[in-house]
Amino acid sequence: MKVLVTGGAGYIGSHVVRQLGQAGHDIVVLDNLSTGYRWAVTAGELIVGDLADEAVIEEVFANHRFDAILHFAANIVVPESVANPLKYYSNNTRNTLNLLQAVERHQVPYMVFSSTAAVYGMPDETVLTEDMPLAPINPYGASKMMSERMIMDLAAASDLNYVILRYFNVAGANPDGLLGQATPEATHLIKVACECVTGQREGMSVFGTDYDTRDGTCVRDYIHVEDLAKAHVMALDYMARGGESRVLNCGYGRGFTVNEVIDVVKRQSGVDFPVAETGRRTGDPEALMADNARIRQTLGWTPNYDNLETIVGTALAWEAIWQKRKDSPS
Amino acid sequence: MKVLVTGGAGYIGSHVVRQLGQAGHDIVVLDNLSTGYRWAVTAGELIVGDLADEAVIEEVFANHRFDAILHFAANIVVPESVANPLKYYSNNTRNTLNLLQAVERHQVPYMVFSSTAAVYGMPDETVLTEDMPLAPINPYGASKMMSERMIMDLAAASDLNYVILRYFNVAGANPDGLLGQATPEATHLIKVACECVTGQREGMSVFGTDYDTRDGTCVRDYIHVEDLAKAHVMALDYMARGGESRVLNCGYGRGFTVNEVIDVVKRQSGVDFPVAETGRRTGDPEALMADNARIRQTLGWTPNYDNLETIVGTALAWEAIWQKRKDSPS
């Protein structure tokens, strides 16, 4: 298939691009390189451009006849979205609309969209099915919920088919050390802990130790980026086989506490670092895990990297590689 | 106050502009005249321009220092939104974002936003409070829900205060015959029935006669446009007094069935016309009425035109005036 990957130079996008290349797809990456990197695009063609620019989009679609769009490009930092909501509604929601207008004009048949468990907000349940009500509590989650809705409504009015993937906590890196999370100022737990190991951070905070969990810290469902990437490739195959539009959670269905994650990072790296226990943050649910029955059944997806040691191990290995690469002339 | 009224040449906007003028406000109307009319702007200055054009918005804001924005401009036809969702996400949601970016840049303190009971979707209750979950079932309602959310999130991150007004079924016309609904291809029940009276339509349909209501047809909460307009003027006063941001239902809290409305139109006009009873439409809840306790308490709003005869009478009078005006040289 001829596929357009927006945000394909970023963390998750770059892992998907690599797998798409291995699967033999013909790839065009559109990325503004605001947080992505040229080196991360290991297959296909990179076009540097911004989805805010409708002329750029039209040019890309005029030059290529795409069978599918995989739409990763987005801002993803929750606290920033609270402070600057219009940035998120512009770069996430409006830019998705810009892309959808091209999808409609050029009658692209398939779309895979990067959504997030943040669309669920603060649910009453801890294991979430895709049918839970959507109630995002921050502009990041709301911007993704709006994008989902626009995609669904366009699909209902046209021949577009979609798979919307709601990511839980994505972590880890390509096990060969080729790719990993290089996002500046990342706020993800495992990335932050790895930066403590390499000395880029002096220490880190744990937000809330009085939750009703096994050690008092929040429980999250960490999914390895290669397993997540595989879901995207399988979603394309599913639609090409005639599969109907679906929303699918991406997670392993079990969780680890913040302290468990930090302990594994320290144990595997052999490096200790200071951890400050501070109060709860607003908007952190106690425990969030994916019910992944639907993705298993719909796509036939099964994970290959479903253990915390592998997630942390690949993340640590990448962090060491990335630190050396950053500091050396490219 | 210096106020910008987007969509001020339209049905509801024009009634609000007239009342704002009477209240002594300094008014700039921004309208693309796609469904509005120059003659409908009876106070202030009209700028013909489109909210899709960010340069136009910036020019308007650069030339005027607004104390408040009243944002009416939108597409409002539900079936069209289902067939062409991206038109609604563009003209309603994205254009609201464009406007909000100017509001943020120029630090406008107050905003009144035209929302709709369509954000509630198909609720379990028939009398709706503002705290009901939002679950719009069509792109029109979703486009308005998204606009609400962007306004709320910007307000949370800035000094902006807002009043979001969720309209139930707006009908009627200025009782002096100065203004009324002149929207082409309107789909509102009372407007359609009035067009049957004047002979512009040969007849009309009733969608569903087997609902569990007093006569089997759907119950809706019809609010007179002058009472609704008054709520906007009072919302400005409320914010100027330091009132906190609020979402307020706009309705009378009681409903009439479709057949009751048609009967009043026929009785008051003395004109009979064919009514075809057809099956239910998808997405029509049985009964929808506003719990209006909050707007009464927050704004001190009370209705002046709360009876169906007045709503229908002013609508019929306007329809006759509008037919003559349309057919004569302007």
Side-chain angles (χ1 to χ4, degrees):
Chain A
M1 276 198 258
K2 176 88 175 238
V3 299
L4 174 66
V5 184
T6 74
Y11 170 44
I12 300 168
S14 65
H15 285 80
V16 173
V17 164
R18 200 188 63 86
Q19 289 196 22
L20 288 171
Q22 291 178 327
H25 294 293
D26 184 6
I27 303 161
V28 175
V29 169
L30 179 62
D31 198 300
N32 65 6
L33 300 182
S34 64
T35 59
Y37 297 90
R38 281 181 190 279
W39 55 258
V41 180
T42 61
E45 173 194 1
L46 169 64
I47 298 170
V48 179
D50 199 300
L51 290 174
D53 188 339
E54 294 174 74
V56 165
I57 298 175
E58 186 48 37
E59 193 187 339
V60 171
F61 279 75
N63 290 334
H64 302 275
R65 179 145 196 92
F66 296 115
D67 301 301
I69 315 291
L70 296 95
H71 178 37
F72 296 92
N75 291 124
I76 60 164
V77 182
V78 169
E80 184 190 45
S81 81
V82 173
N84 191 358
L86 299 192
K87 176 176 176 179
Y88 281 70
Y89 293 125
S90 298
N91 292 348
N92 295 0
T93 312
R94 186 207 50 201
N95 287 3
T96 297
L97 175 63
N98 290 347
L99 186 62
L100 288 175
Q101 287 175 324
V103 165
E104 183 178 43
R105 265 195 314 271
H106 295 273
Q107 298 179 296
V108 178
Y110 307 128
M111 182 153 182
V112 181
F113 178 63
S114 302
S115 192
T116 167
V119 298
Y120 299 116
M122 298 277 280
D124 296 331
E125 310 288 324
T126 58
V127 180
L128 308 183
T129 69
E130 293 85 351
D131 299 325
M132 303 269 307
L134 304 187
I137 56 163
N138 54 60
Y140 167 65
S143 74
K144 288 285 189 177
M145 179 182 73
M146 294 177 192
S147 299
E148 286 193 1
R149 178 71 188 243
M150 296 189 301
I151 293 165
M152 293 175 186
D153 287 343
L154 175 60
S158 73
D159 291 330
L160 177 68
N161 278 281
Y162 63 81
V163 172
I164 290 171
L165 298 174
R166 292 186 182 148
Y167 308 162
F168 282 65
N169 292 53
V170 188
N174 172 263
D176 299 335
L178 300 172
L179 296 168
Q181 189 167 11
T183 323
E185 297 168 46
T187 54
H188 298 84
L189 173 64
I190 292 179
K191 174 74 175 171
V192 167
C194 288
E195 290 178 351
C196 292
V197 168
T198 59
Q200 295 166 88
R201 290 177 194 256
E202 299 197 346
M204 60 180 293
S205 299
V206 172
F207 301 101
T209 54
D210 59 345
Y211 288 99
D212 185 19
T213 60
R214 40 190 183 267
D215 63 20
T217 63
C218 288
V219 170
R220 293 291 180 273
D221 186 340
Y222 297 91
I223 176 172
H224 192 283
V225 65
E226 290 285 5
D227 280 334
L228 180 66
K230 187 172 67 167
H232 292 74
V233 180
M234 297 181 82
L236 282 186
D237 294 342
Y238 163 78
M239 287 189 285
R241 288 195 305 272
E244 289 183 7
S245 294
R246 284 283 182 275
V247 179
L248 304 173
N249 283 338
C250 296
Y252 292 145
R254 55 94 196 93
F256 295 99
T257 69
V258 173
N259 279 345
E260 286 166 353
V261 169
I262 294 173
D263 285 349
V264 170
V265 172
K266 289 184 174 181
R267 196 165 67 236
Q268 286 200 231
S269 66
V271 176
D272 198 15
F273 48 84
V275 175
E277 296 190 342
T278 63
R280 295 185 181 197
R281 284 188 299 202
T282 309
D284 274 341
E286 189 161 274
L288 280 184
M289 285 166 284
D291 181 325
N292 64 17
R294 194 180 290 176
I295 190 171
R296 287 176 179 271
Q297 197 196 348
T298 305
L299 303 186
W301 174 89
T302 51
N304 297 325
Y305 300 92
D306 179 7
N307 66 77
L308 186 57
E309 284 70 23
T310 304
I311 292 174
V312 168
T314 56
L316 281 167
W318 166 256
E319 199 59 39
I321 293 166
W322 172 233
Q323 282 318 304
K324 279 192 205 151
R325 185 184 299 194
K326 267 207 307 190
D327 298 340
S328 67
S330 61
Chain B
M1 279 199 258
K2 175 88 174 235
V3 298
L4 174 66
V5 184
T6 74
Y11 169 44
I12 301 170
S14 65
H15 285 80
V16 173
V17 164
R18 201 189 62 87
Q19 288 196 23
L20 288 170
Q22 290 178 326
H25 293 293
D26 184 6
I27 303 160
V28 175
V29 169
L30 179 62
D31 199 300
N32 65 6
L33 300 183
S34 66
T35 58
Y37 297 89
R38 283 182 189 276
W39 55 257
V41 181
T42 60
E45 175 193 0
L46 169 64
I47 298 171
V48 179
D50 199 300
L51 290 173
D53 187 339
E54 295 175 73
V56 165
I57 298 174
E58 186 48 36
E59 193 187 336
V60 171
F61 278 75
N63 290 335
H64 301 276
R65 180 147 196 89
F66 296 115
D67 300 302
I69 315 290
L70 295 96
H71 178 35
F72 295 92
N75 292 124
I76 61 164
V77 182
V78 169
E80 184 189 45
S81 82
V82 173
N84 191 358
L86 300 191
K87 175 177 177 179
Y88 281 72
Y89 293 125
S90 297
N91 292 348
N92 295 359
T93 312
R94 186 207 50 202
N95 287 3
T96 298
L97 175 63
N98 290 348
L99 185 63
L100 288 175
Q101 288 174 323
V103 164
E104 183 178 43
R105 266 196 313 273
H106 294 274
Q107 299 180 297
V108 179
Y110 307 128
M111 183 152 181
V112 180
F113 178 63
S114 302
S115 192
T116 166
V119 298
Y120 298 116
M122 297 277 280
D124 295 331
E125 310 288 323
T126 57
V127 179
L128 309 182
T129 69
E130 293 85 352
D131 299 326
M132 303 270 306
L134 303 189
I137 56 163
N138 53 61
Y140 166 65
S143 74
K144 288 285 188 176
M145 179 182 73
M146 294 177 192
S147 298
E148 286 193 2
R149 178 70 187 244
M150 297 191 299
I151 293 166
M152 291 175 186
D153 286 342
L154 175 60
S158 72
D159 291 330
L160 177 67
N161 279 281
Y162 63 80
V163 172
I164 289 171
L165 298 175
R166 291 187 183 148
Y167 308 163
F168 282 65
N169 292 52
V170 188
N174 171 263
D176 299 334
L178 300 172
L179 296 168
Q181 189 167 9
T183 323
E185 295 167 46
T187 55
H188 298 85
L189 173 63
I190 292 178
K191 175 74 175 172
V192 167
C194 288
E195 290 178 351
C196 292
V197 168
T198 59
Q200 296 165 86
R201 290 178 195 255
E202 299 197 347
M204 59 181 293
S205 299
V206 173
F207 301 101
T209 53
D210 59 345
Y211 288 99
D212 186 19
T213 60
R214 41 190 182 268
D215 62 21
T217 63
C218 287
V219 170
R220 293 292 181 274
D221 187 341
Y222 296 91
I223 176 173
H224 192 282
V225 65
E226 289 285 4
D227 279 333
L228 180 66
K230 186 172 70 167
H232 293 74
V233 180
M234 296 181 84
L236 281 186
D237 294 343
Y238 163 77
M239 287 189 284
R241 288 195 306 271
E244 289 183 8
S245 294
R246 284 284 182 276
V247 178
L248 304 173
N249 283 339
C250 296
Y252 292 145
R254 55 95 196 93
F256 295 98
T257 69
V258 173
N259 279 345
E260 286 167 350
V261 169
I262 293 173
D263 285 348
V264 170
V265 172
K266 288 184 175 182
R267 197 166 63 236
Q268 285 200 234
S269 66
V271 175
D272 198 14
F273 49 84
V275 175
E277 295 191 343
T278 65
R280 294 184 182 199
R281 285 187 301 200
T282 309
D284 274 341
E286 189 161 274
L288 281 183
M289 286 166 281
D291 181 326
N292 65 15
R294 195 180 287 175
I295 190 172
R296 287 176 179 271
Q297 196 194 351
T298 305
L299 303 186
W301 174 87
T302 50
N304 296 326
Y305 300 92
D306 180 5
N307 66 77
L308 187 56
E309 284 70 23
T310 304
I311 292 174
V312 168
T314 55
L316 281 168
W318 166 255
E319 200 58 41
I321 293 166
W322 172 232
Q323 283 319 305
K324 278 191 207 156
R325 187 184 298 195
K326 268 208 303 189
D327 298 339
S328 66
S330 61

